[in-house]
């Protein structure tokens, strides 16, 4: 690297801490010190050699300090988000040893790099500051974060500006980003840092993104060109390379950099910069300080909220979290956290609660104020927070030395500090004492400790007025005067305080108390107060100008000490008020609750707009309440000659807005479906008038009159023969309809003849096929073949859960070459694809691009088939999983029940409680981004959270309706039978005692793809059942359940109301209920019917994470990809006769909202994927099943490692 031009090289110590080295049993201090010292010495020797060769180009060693393999901000336990498997102090100690060793080895720079968790980086910085302080030395520090994906955030959730705010106290010589991304994806975030950081900025990205084998393919020349914009835009001072870069890459970068000037370090405005997951850069507005006032939420302070205190004392941290969340929702800019109470272990409670808050991104997006009168409690909180916090508080009460010690620790943590106006003589109460103490503290902090003025916040003590004691009357005036003077004498400092203290005398009278708060903030902010601990919702509501004028007069007489009898007059006036009224809507006792404020002017409503804008608003917002009225207003207005003109005019204008917003990602699928519902309702109202128009026109003339709106194209859609699943297809249809496509939906189980005939009849521009089960893939191939034979030249779109781009390219596209065959991932992709296909200028080029792309995919597929190695079936069987079923660990449990049992007594509430909501949101294409992926965190996502919550609430309403109306019938059937394995087969016996007669056989498939790990077994499901020749009696269970009976009636009612939204909602919920029934049923089997886990006690979260004993694989899924195995289940249990759940010719279940599978009870059982199988296993399997080889290949076509001959 030095040879080709590197100025700085890193030591090979990325994992050089005892924490990381514990993985290799090298955590002993002498081992860790040796690793770091020798790495530094080797690198230093190389740099010295090259510097000697060319003294004009000195070379430097950066001691690499990696993030460790632990994270301080994220729990390793999903069940316990407050848990950490390492402490801040342990990480600091580990870093301290590494730093000391690197320094001994002679490094020139300390490089804290690849930061995915900012709290780990803060621990490293703390250790560095500790080391510098103890040794009296200081060398340059570089800090480098890593962005894990295109969200622009670290793994622990921080934006890169929030990250800078959190680490800038280290005063790094240089700041940058490395690893994770290639240069092309990194530039945006480096540019952000370049703008906000007043230090040198660097980037050392990977050589592009890793390939599928974890290697890097980007050449040095390619990387050079991707890095060129960094230099052209002047956003960096240094460039380098991380993973995948070699001397070739570094040489190219060094050569590139020669022709450019380094970035000029900007002058960044000095201001208080705080952070949670997001930055909070405070810039006061001198002309209106109240507008920029920072609301510090007070309700997570045990002294400020009885409810919060009770939650902490009771250990109800969920309730405490809810209080925190509500404060942020109501406008808290910073969250105050205080645990000072005799009943609470403050350190433990502070640690646990801050750790929990970190896991709640909707709360931890704001900075925290760590609040305690005990400094060790403050430290406990700081050690848990990755953002830049405020410490509340330190003071001179215990003398200067202790004050400086506490201040230095706050500085090492990077926190801003609140300084209380206390000194060795006590609390400052008057103007002079407040100013003198704060001025003294300011000098010590700035000149001796080195804390920047903008990180110093004074609390000059807000003391209670209106107490009846004359010496208290000027407390508010003294605070306001002192605020102005302190800001003058201590430039750059901030002023804060606990606002609720001011009106403590009037607690219990809401209007008076809040009136005092509003008036005090008005005057204090005008004097320069920057922030305060407040009830955020109240101070936002109680705007000074809106406070009742009579109340305000009484308040300010006391607050500003305007008269000697102000308190007495205030008490008399307060006695006339309803105690719970608001200061902006005062209610006198006996007035019947009528506010003096009276009614204001009516707010403008969207209903006041012109009718075309009302229609557009209704469509965008999905409001169908007024649409018929508005459409009728259009029809009779005389502005539109015909009903068709209304559809093509305001209705389509509105739908175009919907389409544009959806395409831009500003509307989400549930909103689009609601828009479609409004549109259908509007069109349904107009259809009778259009029909009448057509009838009258026919009487007058032989020619037809156009009564159908023009459209963007005709799309014929169908779920293919044998498949009954249509939610995805229905969604695509609605979305296309919203974009002015005419959709002909043929429904489910549609034969190819019907699809092709409909395409010709309707002069289709596009055909769309959908399917969920694997046999549908073959049916899609058949449709493609028949389209080719018929000579159609219509683009064919493929979609559905089991489909893929690779399957489309390999299996379907070669059979239909007359037009484009295109895989469409989801509804959002369907619109641009269809629009491109309908664009005469671009359609041909688009189709050709797809064909070329699919040709490459086919080549890749067949190359991979050739490259992938497979064991023969014989060898795979030799390497099967062998369990000793005679040992207690694997000994089968005799079931409490043997036979078949129908269960139809499911409690709907129990089933609803067992719903896994994540697939529900996936159906609606709502996906939260880290850290808000998954239910319920998706509600916190800033992009989709609000819509996800609305959708969830609508789902709850429909579930309530299902329950109250008994709309859906929940039914299940369970069978448990004597069984043993014989080779790769599982046989079922007619009786448990003799086991002499086999009634049914379940055939299993074995893994054959060669595994990377030596000794790893090659699984088949039969491995989990005791072999017949072992003499051990074993058992096999199975089930079928459904939530689909009654769904058709629900859907027909929705269809009659033109309500696509409710149709899709009902289908999606029925699917979720079916899966939930399967979950409830399996739990009942484990604990009661079979009873092999009778003492199981798992939460819903644990159930959905499959933490129970045993498995329930389903035919047609990875552990057994053959759908024909369902036939044995249906026959053995008599499923159709007993439950009415049927199988189609493609072995899909009817109703579609049904689930089936096998039960394996053994502890050795586990889920796995069979993967691809060879010809030898296919032939063996067909022979065992007595099935024709060609038929067998058809059912397993997706699982073959070869291409069957036609």
């Amino acid at each position: 690297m030095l040879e080709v031009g590197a100025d700085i090289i890193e030591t090979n110590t990325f994992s050089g801490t005892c924490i990381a080295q514990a993985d290799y049993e090298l955590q002993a201090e002498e081992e860790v010190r040796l690793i770091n010292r020798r790495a530094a010495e080797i690198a230093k020797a190389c740099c010295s050699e090259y510097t000697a060769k060319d003294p004009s180009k000195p070379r430097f060693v950066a001691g690499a300090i990696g993030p460790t393999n632990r994270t301080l901000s994220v729990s390793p336990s999903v069940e316990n988000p407050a848990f950490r498997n390492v402490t801040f102090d342990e990480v600091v100690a580990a870093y301290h040893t590494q730093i000391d060793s690197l320094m001994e080895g002679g490094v020139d720079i300390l490089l804290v790099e690849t930061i995915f968790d900012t709290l780990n980086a803060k621990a490293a910085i703390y250790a560095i500051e500790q080391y510098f302080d103890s040794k009296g030395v200081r060398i340059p520090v570089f800090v480098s974060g890593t962005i894990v994906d295109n969200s622009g955030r670290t793994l622990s959730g921080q934006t890169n500006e929030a990250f800078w705010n959190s680490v800038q106290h280290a005063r790094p010589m240089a700041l940058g980003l490395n690893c994770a991304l290639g240069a092309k994806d990194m530039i945006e975030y480096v540019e952000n840092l370049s703008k906000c950081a007043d230090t040198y900025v660097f980037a050392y990205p990977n050589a592009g993104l890793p390939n599928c084998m974890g290697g890097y393919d980007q050449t040095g020349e390619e990387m050079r060109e991707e890095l060129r914009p960094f230099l052209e835009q002047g956003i960096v001072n240094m460039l380098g390379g991380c993973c995948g870069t070699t001397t070739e890459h570094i040489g190219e970068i060094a050569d590139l950099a020669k022709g450019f000037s380094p970035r000029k370090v900007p002058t960044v405005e000095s201001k208080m910069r705080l952070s949670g997951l997001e930055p909070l850069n405070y810039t006061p507005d001198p002309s209106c300080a109240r507008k920029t006032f920072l609301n510090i939420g007070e309700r997570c302070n045990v002294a400020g909220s009885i409810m919060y205190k009770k939650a902490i004392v009771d250990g109800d941290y969920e309730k405490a979290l809810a209080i925190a969340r509500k404060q942020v929702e109501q406008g808290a800019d910073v969250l105050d956290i205080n645990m000072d109470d005799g009943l609470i272990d403050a350190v433990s409670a502070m640690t646990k609660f801050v750790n929990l808050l970190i896991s709640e991104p909707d709360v931890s997006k704001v900075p925290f104020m760590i609040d305690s009168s005990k400094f060790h409690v403050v430290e406990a909180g700081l050690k848990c927070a990755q953002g830049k916090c405020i410490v509340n508080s330190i003071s001179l009460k215990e003398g200067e030395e202790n004050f400086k010690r506490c201040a230095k620790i706050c500085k090492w943590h990077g926190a801003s500090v609140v300084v209380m106006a206390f000194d060795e003589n006590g609390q400052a109460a008057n103007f002079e004492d407040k100013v003198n103490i704060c001025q003294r503290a300011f000098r010590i902090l700035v000149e001796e400790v080195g804390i920047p003025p903008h990180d110093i916040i004074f609390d000059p003590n807000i003391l209670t007025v209106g107490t009846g004691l004359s010496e208290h009357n000027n407390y508010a005036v003294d605070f306001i005067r002192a605020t102005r003077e302190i800001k003058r004498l201590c430039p750059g400092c901030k002023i804060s305080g606990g606002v609720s203290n001011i009106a403590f005398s009037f607690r219990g009278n809401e209007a008076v108390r809040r009136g005092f708060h509003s008036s005090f903030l008005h005057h204090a902010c005008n004097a320069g107060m920057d922030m305060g601990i407040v009830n955020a919702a109240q101070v936002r509501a109680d705007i000074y100008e809106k406070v009742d004028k009579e109340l305000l007069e009484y308040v300010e007489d006391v607050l500003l000490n305007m008269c000697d009898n102000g308190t007495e007059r205030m008490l008399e006036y307060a006695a006339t008020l309803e105690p719970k009224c608001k200061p902006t809507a005062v209610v006198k006792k006996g007035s019947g609750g009528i506010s003096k404020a009276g009614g204001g002017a009516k707010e403008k409503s969207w209903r006041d707009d012109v009718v075309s804008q009302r229609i557009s608003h209704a469509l965008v917002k999905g409001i169908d309440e007024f649409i018929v009225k508005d459409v009728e207003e259009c029809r009779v207005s005389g502005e539109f000659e015909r009903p068709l003109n209304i559809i093509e005019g305001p209705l389509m204008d509105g739908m175009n807005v919907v389409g544009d917003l959806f395409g831009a990602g500003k509307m989400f699928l549930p909103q689009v479906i609601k828009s479609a519902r409004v549109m259908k309702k509007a069109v349904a109202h107009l259809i009778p008038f259009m029909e009448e128009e057509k009838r009258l026109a026919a009487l007058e003339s032989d020619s037809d009159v156009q009564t159908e709106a023009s459209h963007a194209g005709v799309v014929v859609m169908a779920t293919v023969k044998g498949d009954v699943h249509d939610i995805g297809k229905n969604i695509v249809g609605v979305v296309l309809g919203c974009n002015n496509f005419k959709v002909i939906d043929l429904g489910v189980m549609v034969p190819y003849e019907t699809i092709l005939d409909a395409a010709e009849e309707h002069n289709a521009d596009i055909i769309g096929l959908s399917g969920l089960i694997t046999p549908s893939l073959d049916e899609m191939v058949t449709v493609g073949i028949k389209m080719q034979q018929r000579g159609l030249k219509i683009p064919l779109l493929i979609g559905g859960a089991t489909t893929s781009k690779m399957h489309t390219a390999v299996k379907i596209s070669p059979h239909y070459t007359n037009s484009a065959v295109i895989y469409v991932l989801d509804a959002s992709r369907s619109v641009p694809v269809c629009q491109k296909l309908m664009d005469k200028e671009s359609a041909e080029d688009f189709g050709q691009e797809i064909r070329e792309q699919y040709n490459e995919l086919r080549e890749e597929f067949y190359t991979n088939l050739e490259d992938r190695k497979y064991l023969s079936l014989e060898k795979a069987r030799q390497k099967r999983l062998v369990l000793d079923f005679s040992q207690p660990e694997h000994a089968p449990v005799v079931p409490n029940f043997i036979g078949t049992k129908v269960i139809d007594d499911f409690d709907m509430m129990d089933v609803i409680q067992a719903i896994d909501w994540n697939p529900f949101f996936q159906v609606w294409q709502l996906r939260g981004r880290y850290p808000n992926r998954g239910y319920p965190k998706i509600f916190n996502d800033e992009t989709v959270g609000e819509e996800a919550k609305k959708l969830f609430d609508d789902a709850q309403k429909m579930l309530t309706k299902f329950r109250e109306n008994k709309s859906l019938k929940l039914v299940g059937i369970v069978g448990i039978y004597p069984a043993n394995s014989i080779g790769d087969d599982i046989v079922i016996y007619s009786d448990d005692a003799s086991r002499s007669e086999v009634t049914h056989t379940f055939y299993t498939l074995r893994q054959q793809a060669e595994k990377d790990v030596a000794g790893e077994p090659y699984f088949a499901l039969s491995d989990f059942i005791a072999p017949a020749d072992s003499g051990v009696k074993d058992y096999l269970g199975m089930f079928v359940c459904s939530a689909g009976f009654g769904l058709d009636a629900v859907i027909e009612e929705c269809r009659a109301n033109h309500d696509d939204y409710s149709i899709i909602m009902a289908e999606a919920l029925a699917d979720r209920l079916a899966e939930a029934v399967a979950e409830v049923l399996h739990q009942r089997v484990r604990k009661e019917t079979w009873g092999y886990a009778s003492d199981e006690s798992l939460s819903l979260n644990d159930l959905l994470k499959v933490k129970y004993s045993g498995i329930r694989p389903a035919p047609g899924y990875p552990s057994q990809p053959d759908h024909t195995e369902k036939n044995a289940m249906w026959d053995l249990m008599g499923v159709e006769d007993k439950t009415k759940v049927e199988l189609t010719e493609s072995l899909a279940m009817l109703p579609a909202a049904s689930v089936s599978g096998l039960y394996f009870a053994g502890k050795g059982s586990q889920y796995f994927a069979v993967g691809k199988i060879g010809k030898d296993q296919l032939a063996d399997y067909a022979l065992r099943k007595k099935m024709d080889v060609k038929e067998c290949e058809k059912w397993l076509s997706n699982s073959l490692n070869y291409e069957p001959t036609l």
Side-chain angles (χ1 to χ4, degrees), residues 375-388:
F375 193 70
H376 67 283
V377 178
V378 168
E379 283 190 274
L382 290 174
K383 290 172 182 178
C384 301
Q386 68 172 329
K388 177 166 182 172

Side-chain angles (χ1 to χ4, degrees), residues 414-433:
S416 296
V417 289
V418 173
V419 180
M420 296 295 295
F422 275 84
D423 66 5
E424 298 86 343
N425 298 316
Q427 183 181 47
N430 59 43
F431 168 76
E432 290 79 11
D433 287 345

Side-chain angles (χ1 to χ4, degrees), residues 957-994:
K957 291 173 187 173
M958 184 169 280
L959 287 171
T960 300
K961 193 175 176 182
F962 284 171
R963 193 175 73 250
E964 292 174 349
N965 297 342
K966 295 182 170 58
S967 307
L968 302 182
K969 179 185 176 185
L970 309 180
V971 64
I973 185 170
V974 171
I976 304 174
Y977 307 101
N980 280 117
S981 64
I982 299 176
D984 289 351
D985 301 333
I986 301 170
V987 295
I988 305 297
Y989 301 109
S990 59
D991 71 287
D992 191 22
S994 68

Side-chain angles (χ1 to χ4, degrees), residues 403-404 407-408 411 443-451:
F403 178 65
K404 286 189 282 189
K408 183 188 291 184
K411 178 188 172 188
R443 182 195 60 76
I444 294 169
L445 293 175
V446 174
E447 296 178 10
E448 298 185 40
V449 182
I451 292 180

Side-chain angles (χ1 to χ4, degrees), residues 662 667-677 726-732 734-735 738 825-829 915-928 938-939 943-944 947-956 958 962 1054 1059-1072:
F662 183 59
M667 276 183 77
F668 305 107
L669 186 59
Q671 296 168 301
V672 174
I673 304 297
K674 289 178 182 177
S675 300
R677 175 173 62 186
D726 65 349
I727 296 180
K729 171 179 64 66
N730 292 346
I731 291 172
V732 171
V734 171
V735 171
C738 290
L825 178 64
D826 57 33
S828 64
R829 317 293 172 91
I915 288 177
D916 180 358
W917 287 101
N918 289 318
F920 173 79
F921 292 112
Q922 290 164 13
V923 165
W924 292 93
Q925 296 173 24
L926 292 178
R927 299 175 181 90
I938 190 173
F939 300 146
T943 305
V944 304
E947 193 55 39
K949 187 63 171 70
K950 289 179 186 175
L951 183 71
F952 181 76
D953 291 343
D954 287 346
Q956 298 306 307
M958 184 169 280
F962 284 171
C1054 298
D1059 191 352
D1060 287 325
Y1061 178 75
S1062 293
I1063 290 172
I1064 293 167
M1065 177 69 78
E1067 290 179 328
L1069 287 177
D1071 278 355
R1072 289 297 87 223

